[in-house]
Amino acid sequence: MADTVPLTFTPDQIDEGSTTPLYQQIYDMLHARIIDGTLKLNDHLPAEQDLTKALGVSRITVKRAMNELAVAGLVRRQRGIGTVVIYDVAAPAIKGSFDTMIDGLTRMGLETEVQLLDCTIGTASPAISQSLDLKAGASVQRIVRLRRLDGEPFSYLVTYIPYDIADGYDEAQLASESLIKLLEQAGHAPVEAEQTITATAAEPAVAANLGVAPGSPLMRIHRIMRDGKGRPVQDITAHYRADRFEYHMRLTRNNAAENDWTTEK
């Protein structure tokens, strides 16, 4: 087990007069140390009580900052062990015009275990033909995979890939590689995506694979990815266990007078 990395924190690092909330300032400090490699994979962050004392803030403020780091996929919090860095600054990342989303999906592929449940070639349904801009009767690869985190299932994914693109990788790679990486290998790296997020109840087959009771709440994400030429290269429907997955984003606006909010990258 890695030791807690010695870091120096003092009250003057917190600006109580700032419009930025205190928890956000603490989040930003720790986030910077993780991203620049000061805190590395498997390092332990200082304990909440230690940060509370060093920075002169409340325990709940520190706890919220730590929870935000966990939501961002940078740390894992575990009772009896503490807060551990799970972000590997040295891990390869695929860049695109929507870096935040692609990097997150790529890290998911690198940090979780995947089990290939099914891989078949068949004729695209009318709905899949439409989403992938294929002619009627075109062939697609249908991939069913289960992802685990710490040995527990957390997502069930059904993906459709145009057959000519699927020819760029083999079935064995589907059991170990990120699909984004395989699409890049096939010459169709995703650079644009459109997705819909909904809540749904677990159907029996999905529930059995995710280890939950039928009817349990799940998060459903349907995503269509396009390559640099605008061609749809992937249609994926993912079901996530609501107790093991959160979808997090931060919205901003320049001032209180503006009505429009934008997603912060």
Side-chain angles (χ1 to χ4, degrees), residues 208-239:
N209 280 286
L210 288 177
V212 298
S216 296
L218 300 177
M219 180 180 293
R220 178 185 183 273
I221 299 180
H222 177 244
R223 181 183 301 118
I224 299 172
M225 288 189 167
R226 297 177 181 269
D227 63 15
K229 295 182 179 180
R231 179 186 178 184
V233 296
Q234 182 189 71
D235 179 302
I236 180 171
T237 299
H239 288 89

Side-chain angles (χ1 to χ4, degrees), residues 14-230:
I14 298 295
D15 183 2
E16 295 189 358
S18 172
T19 57
T20 302
L22 295 181
Y23 82 87
Q24 182 67 46
Q25 295 182 47
I26 298 171
Y27 169 92
D28 290 340
M29 284 192 296
L30 295 172
H31 178 277
R33 285 163 170 78
I34 294 171
I35 297 301
D36 69 14
T38 301
L39 286 165
K40 298 179 175 60
L41 181 67
N42 295 324
D43 282 345
H44 281 65
L45 270 64
E48 287 180 10
Q49 60 268 28
D50 293 336
L51 281 174
T52 296
K53 182 177 180 181
L55 294 172
V57 297
S58 68
R59 180 85 175 259
I60 195 170
T61 297
V62 173
K63 182 185 293 290
R64 182 171 181 182
M66 295 289 205
N67 287 340
E68 289 288 323
L69 288 170
V71 169
L74 300 175
V75 302
R76 185 196 308 74
R77 290 166 61 71
Q78 190 168 344
R79 187 180 298 275
I81 295 179
T83 303
V84 182
V85 177
I86 61 173
Y87 174 74
D88 186 358
V89 70
I94 297 174
K95 299 293 184 179
S97 62
F98 53 122
D99 290 348
T100 302
M101 175 181 169
I102 286 293
D103 287 350
L105 293 173
T106 301
R107 285 197 299 275
M108 183 181 294
L110 294 172
E111 294 178 356
T112 60
E113 300 172 5
V114 62
Q115 178 184 355
L116 180 62
L117 302 179
D118 188 41
C119 179
T120 56
I121 302 295
T123 301
S125 68
I128 295 299
S129 294
Q130 181 178 6
S131 69
L132 293 177
D133 289 348
L134 298 173
K135 295 180 179 179
S139 295
V140 291
Q141 182 182 54
R142 180 179 182 270
I143 307 160
V144 182
R145 305 201 297 176
L146 182 70
R147 283 201 177 278
R148 289 185 171 86
L149 182 64
D150 293 335
E152 292 292 325
F154 83 104
S155 67
Y156 178 86
L157 310 102
V158 179
T159 307
Y160 293 90
I161 307 286
Y163 179 68
D164 63 299
I165 296 177
D167 195 44
Y169 52 83
D170 59 44
E171 187 171 327
Q173 291 175 291
L174 289 171
S176 60
E177 300 281 357
S178 160
L179 263 175
I180 291 178
K181 184 176 180 179
L182 295 180
L183 288 171
E184 183 183 50
Q185 173 184 306
H188 294 273
V191 299
E192 179 184 346
E194 180 180 355
Q195 67 180 14
T196 303
I197 304 175
T198 56
T200 189
E203 297 178 356
V206 177
N209 280 286
L210 288 177
V212 298
S216 296
L218 300 177
M219 180 180 293
R220 178 185 183 273
I221 299 180
H222 177 244
R223 181 183 301 118
I224 299 172
M225 288 189 167
R226 297 177 181 269
D227 63 15
K229 295 182 179 180

